[in-house]
Structures are given as C-alpha cells and as structure tokens.
Amino acid sequence: MMLRCILTLSEIILMRPPFSISIGLFVFAFFFLSLPAHAEAVGFKAAPGTRAVYRLEREGLPGNTVTRFALTFGPVETVDGSESRWYVLSAEKESGPTFTLRLQGCEFPPRTEVGRYLFQEADAVPLEYSHLRSGKAILPEIVSAENLWPRPLGTNPEQNALPARAEWLGQTYTLETTERDTPFVFPGEIKTIRLQPEVRIGVPSNSRTKDDTRRYDGSDYEMVRLTRENYEEMIRAGLNCLRVDAEQAGWIQEESVFYWGSGGSEITFPEALFRSNYLGSVIFFDEPGVSTRDYDIRPRLEKEPDFRKTITPQVVLEEFKRHYHRSATEGPPFVLQKGLQARSDIDLGSLTLPQRNLYIWETIVPAAAWELTAEPEFGPQAFVFEPPGRIGSMRTLPEWNMSYGCQLSPENPAHFADVIFGFLRGAARVSGKGWGVSIYGAVDRADAPWLLTHAYDLGATHFYFWDNYQSACVPRNEYLALTRHLRNHVQERPERNLERLKNLGETVILLPPGYDLGHTHTGRGNLWGLGELNLERENRFGVQYRQVMGNFFTEIERCLRLGVPFDLLWDLDGLKLDGYSEIVRIREDGQVEVIAGGQKTTLPGPRISERAAGDAPELIVDISPTEDVAPFVLTARAHLKEGSAPIYYTTGTDRRGVYPNVMVLWELYGPNEEDYRTFSGRLVEGPSADGRATLEAKVPVSQPGHYRLRAATTDLLGRSRVVWSEFDAK
C-alpha cells in the first residue's frame, strides 16, 4: 500500500494540472520529511469498523467550534489493482448543524491522491466532487492540507493504535471513546459536482453591463447585480469560475462550477472550507507590478527631480520586490482569515488560513518567473497575463518593429502571442506552476478568440475576461460569445499533456532583470510604462536600453523564422534551465551570450536571420517651429511612400470603434534624457494610388533645451524606416 501511495503521488506531480503540481510537490515534501525512522507516516490507523470519537478539550468556545468529531474506518476496497480504504469524518458543533466528509484513499489524513471525496452538510444530499473528465476526486484547495484535516498530536502510535490527542481547525481534542464493528453505510443518493480545474473561465465581478453596446468614448458602463438567471446563462455558456456574494453563493454552490467572493464574514465555518468548488474571498493578486509603478515609483518621480535622472530598471525592480513581499505576507492571501477572525461566533485557535490557491493578474509579463518563485510560502500558483490598455497584433507588432529594429509580421498573430506566452510558459516551467490569459475590452477584437484557443493549445489553465470599467470592459454579450468559442475548442481538443506542453521550449532567451515591455504603451519605447525609462537612455554600461531590447527582439525574430519554440525569462539567479538545447543571454553591455552543445559563445550582437527581400517604406520629415522661444508648438510633417508592402500601424479604436491606420509613430525626446512623450498625427493628404501620403503632427514644446523628434513607419512585413529631426528651444 505504501508503494501505491508513493506512485499515486508521482502521478499527481507528473500528470495533474499546474496548480495541482505545486500542491503535489508540497505534499510530496511534507510526506517524506515527516516520515519517522521506521518509514511509517504519522496518521490515524485502526482496523476496519473502528469508530473513534474525539472531544474538544477547551470549554466556552463560540458556537461554530467543532465540539466533537468522529473518525470511522471503513472497508478496504481494491481500486485500480491497489488497496484503498473509506474514511468517514463527522463533526458536531454547539450551534447544532453537523457535517460529514467521506474519503477513499490510502491513508488519513490524506497525503496522496484521493479516489473519491464527498461532503455532506447536516441531512442534505451528499455532494461528490470529481473531475469532469477523469472522474477522480477533487479535494478542497483553498488552504493547505495540513490545516484542513485532523492531525495526531504526539508520537506516532503503534500499529492500529489511535492517538490519544488530535488537533483540528486550530483546536485540541482528546480521544473520548472507541467503538468496534461500526457498520459502513454509503449514502443512497449523491449529487456529483463535476469540475475542470485545469480550465478555469471567469470574470472578476458579480455584476454585469446593463447595456452591452460597446463604448469607445471613455465613459463607464452602468452595472447591475447578476441574477440567478444570469448565472445560469453564464454556466451554460461555459464559465466555471464565478464571483458571488453570500446570497448568490446559495444559487450556484451546488452547480458544477467554482465560486469565490463570499468572504470570511459571510461563509458557514468550517463547512465552506470543505466545499471543493469554493475558492475563497479573493482569487488573485491584482497588478503588483503596475501598483509598484503607480503608487511607489510615480509619487517619487513627481516629488524628487534627482530621482527622475537616476532611476534605472534595477531601481524599479528593487521597489517592486518590497511591494510584492508586503502584498504576499499581508494582502490577498490573508483576506479570508481576517474576515473569519473578525467574527464573534468563531475561534480559530492556532489555525492559520492563508489561501494557497491565488494567482497573479499582471501586465508586467517579464516578471512572471520571479513572481511565481519569490514567495514560496504565500505566493501565487499561477500567472495570468492582463493586457494593457492598447494591445494586439496589428497595434503592438508594428511598434516592436519600429522601436527595436526587428521584423515581425503584424499579419501573424503568433508573432505577438508567442512573445507574451513565451514569458508565461517559461515562468510555469521553471516554477512548476501554471499560467493563463485574460481579455480586456481594448484587446484587438480580431485577436481575442485566437488568443484564447492558442493559449489553451500551449498549456494555459486560466482564462478570464475583465467585465467593467470604461474601455477595459468586455461587455457581457461579448464574453459569453468568447466563452462559447473557447468551450467548443476545449471540447474538441480535450486531451492535453500539460507537463509536456510546459516543456516545449527548445531555446530560452534571458533578459536582464528589470527590463520590461512597457505597460499601456507596450512597444512605444519605455520600460515599466515610465517615460523616464525611455529607450534612448543609457544603462550602467553606457548602452542604450533600445539596443538591449533590440538584441532581445532580434533573437526572438530568429526563433520565429526558424520555427524554434522559445521561452523568455528574466536572467535570475538560481533558475533551473535544464532541458533547453540553447540558452541565449542578452547582456546589458550589448553583447549576446549563446550556450549550446556545452559550448559558450559571446557575440557582439544578436544573430539576424534572413529577411524578406523588398523595399522598406520611404519617409521624409520636415519640421517648422512657430517660434524658437518656449513655449511654442512645432509642426511636423511626414511624407510617406509605400515600398514593397502596405504601410500599417494603428493605436487602437477611435471614438467610433474604427481602427485607423495612423501610419507614423511620433516620439519626442528631451530636453533632458529622462523627458519623453508620444503624440498623434493626422492624415492631411492621400493615401494616393501609388502609396503616397502626408501626415501632420502638432508638437507642444514647453521648456528650453535641445530636442530630438523621432518619426517611424513600418509595413506589413515588418520593414521599418526611422527619421530623426533635431531642434532647439530658447
């Protein structure tokens, strides 16, 4: 039986979804580290038919405290050729209601995979939680196993001898009575809750857009609370991870879905902890990287002129580490526990309940590997990409081409998605955890369906839609349609080897820690979304950020052209890079280090693959200041002519919902190296039949100094043209 338990645990680690892998690894470590010298795990052991009753040692505790619990040892059955036993755990509370848990597994408390798991509240119909496809038991995931089940106190008892004392839910209990030959009665009626934890689809709100008509004017949607009928429609569409309040929880807690949001002040305790589909008060860390920038870094930039001059990616990263640690040790993991502690009808005793099932909802994707490994005790189990305010293959790829000198085709959405997913899959691989994607309202609507299915095909396990707040909102009718699209794809391709998918990358490209793709203006030319970290600034080696990032993207382009699957990671100490056939290290000194076949080669720059023949667009820029004494407005004109392919670049929808081809990326650097702005132009002439066009931009110049105006354009094959213009203001 011991061998069977070990083999079953190995199956968890190798075959289960990413969130279960991390739990499996934790249980694996706990299991073996807790083995006594004679290699017999500490637990409750007794002959079949034994019923042990434990009594609460303390008196005068609140009504929701379990006063007695009974553990019954059921019959041993043969499951898949191995022995497995039923365990029945029933609890009594002073306030009256009781609950019963039934498990079929190798041991109690369970440290390995459980064959079946049933939860019954009072005299209600028992609920059996099982996997939608495999039928295997799904155990509660909200807290760690050691905090969920009774544990013997003291030394390991002799064979088939029950411990005299036990601890459960923060309280201590004494063995009161032991009965023999207790009959095992299996419930005659069972309701099965079928869950699919490796495909979680949801929204962050328990409200919906009242009017689903798209808004492009920056105004807010009116939101109304979700009704029971709304939830029923969402479940039919395929959403299975739903936010609720206390009343709404009663509508769906016995549906085959996960639910969350009803917190420590509202849930039934401890019963809710044993519902395998209850995920907790919160389920994600919300944008710790962006919060660091907005609430820690930007206030300093406004108040400290010297900080604007000295800021580096490494400085932001160090601040991010402090912010993240506070969040992990004081924030979301402890919301549920704080809600329970505030209640007068509960005494948690020694029980701590940090949630172990949270994920990161974050835009700063290069940080994924660090965020999944930095806080092993209270950190997240997955990283979900949050698209910034304006992103998509026809928006972002042209910017990468114009900013970094690479040539990625805007017409191939994989060139966009594989960069984002490269960071996510790489982080999942080195951390042993999971990843996912979300869709926001400003994501290019042509990209959204494919991004979801492509992420699924590459091993993503979390899929979410932001359903509120101005242009970030995906209206309800749209996320229902996208969910049906994803659900159909999942049903048509149900078989996934998540471990294999996690290890598909053959090349890993390492970026210096702290370097980033930007935020709302991803690709436009700044790190962390800060103009102070614009690409023209130099790092500690005197190398421009643009060159470092250009080397990075050129190596990505090489992999895409060669068809080599790749992962992307910050170059962190201690990363396990075993299994990659090639390691490419992008260095801050401008060099590129390649490790392959046991050989290390240092190159002066990136390897440029053969690119499509043909002519890049032509671009001529003339500028005419209205004055030479600041402040004044500079008029800049860009004269374009298409080369071998059409010019295309959009910055997103206008107020009519149309994606205009703005053709030129305008950027102004100066007068100080930390000063950076972007602005829009307008079409004043063309485009003509031969591909000529003229655009005009009005550039406000507010202070004296030397300025550099950068204008860039690109075509649908990624060929770019850049023109610099310089001027002075007195």
Side-chain angles (χ1 to χ4, degrees), residues 150-172:
R151 291 180 297 162
L153 288 177
T155 59
N156 188 45
E158 297 178 1
Q159 182 71 21
N160 290 339
L162 291 163
R165 302 174 73 227
E167 183 179 32
W168 191 30
L169 300 171
Q171 307 298 338
T172 304

Side-chain angles (χ1 to χ4, degrees), residues 568-606:
L568 308 172
L569 298 166
W570 270 348
D571 191 4
L572 302 169
D573 293 336
L575 287 184
K576 296 180 179 179
L577 303 179
D578 300 339
Y580 289 108
S581 59
E582 182 181 61
I583 300 172
V584 180
R585 177 169 284 108
I586 307 299
R587 297 183 1 182
E588 281 198 281
D589 62 5
Q591 298 186 87
V592 174
E593 184 180 288
V594 179
I595 303 174
Q599 300 294 318
K600 178 164 56 175
T601 305
T602 302
L603 306 173

Side-chain angles (χ1 to χ4, degrees), residues 410-526:
E411 295 186 300
N412 188 342
H415 285 187
F416 161 66
D418 287 353
V419 173
I420 303 299
F421 297 167
F423 280 111
L424 304 181
R425 185 176 62 188
R429 176 169 173 166
V430 299
S431 67
K433 297 182 178 179
W435 66 277
V437 296
S438 61
I439 301 297
Y440 274 51
V443 168
D444 193 315
R445 294 173 70 181
D447 285 344
W450 185 82
L451 287 175
L452 292 168
T453 56
H454 188 53
Y456 174 83
D457 292 341
L458 292 179
T461 55
H462 294 64
F463 307 86
Y464 298 104
F465 307 94
W466 198 259
D467 60 353
N468 62 78
Y469 189 66
Q470 300 176 6
S471 62
C473 175
V474 180
R476 176 181 168 83
N477 60 348
E478 291 187 32
Y479 73 66
L480 289 176
L482 287 167
T483 298
R484 295 186 188 101
H485 169 76
L486 176 60
R487 178 201 61 194
N488 292 339
H489 186 83
V490 172
Q491 291 174 346
E492 293 165 355
R493 298 163 179 81
E495 298 293 338
R496 290 192 301 170
N497 185 326
L498 292 176
E499 192 65 21
R500 177 180 174 274
L501 291 173
K502 190 181 296 183
N503 290 279
L504 279 181
E506 296 178 15
T507 291
V508 61
I509 306 174
L510 304 175
L511 185 66
Y515 282 67
D516 173 59
L517 304 183
H519 181 228
T520 304
H521 292 174
T522 294
R524 278 193 186 177
N526 56 71

Side-chain angles (χ1 to χ4, degrees), residues 312-335:
T312 66
Q314 290 79 14
V315 168
V316 179
L317 177 57
E318 290 305 310
E319 192 62 47
F320 175 46
K321 290 179 179 179
R322 288 187 285 270
H323 182 106
Y324 188 72
H325 178 70
R326 291 195 303 269
S327 182
T329 56
E330 303 173 13
F334 297 93
V335 172

Side-chain angles (χ1 to χ4, degrees), residues 349-400:
S350 62
L351 181 64
T352 58
L353 291 171
Q355 281 188 234
R356 306 288 184 168
N357 60 338
L358 303 181
Y359 62 88
I360 287 283
W361 199 321
E362 178 72 279
T363 295
I364 312 298
V365 287
W370 185 84
E371 292 190 54
L372 290 181
T373 57
E375 295 290 341
E377 187 172 4
F378 303 125
Q381 298 303 310
F383 187 106
V384 174
F385 171 56
E386 175 197 332
R390 39 169 305 286
I391 202 164
S393 55
M394 299 295 281
R395 310 179 200 179
T396 310
L397 286 167
E399 289 185 353
W400 287 343

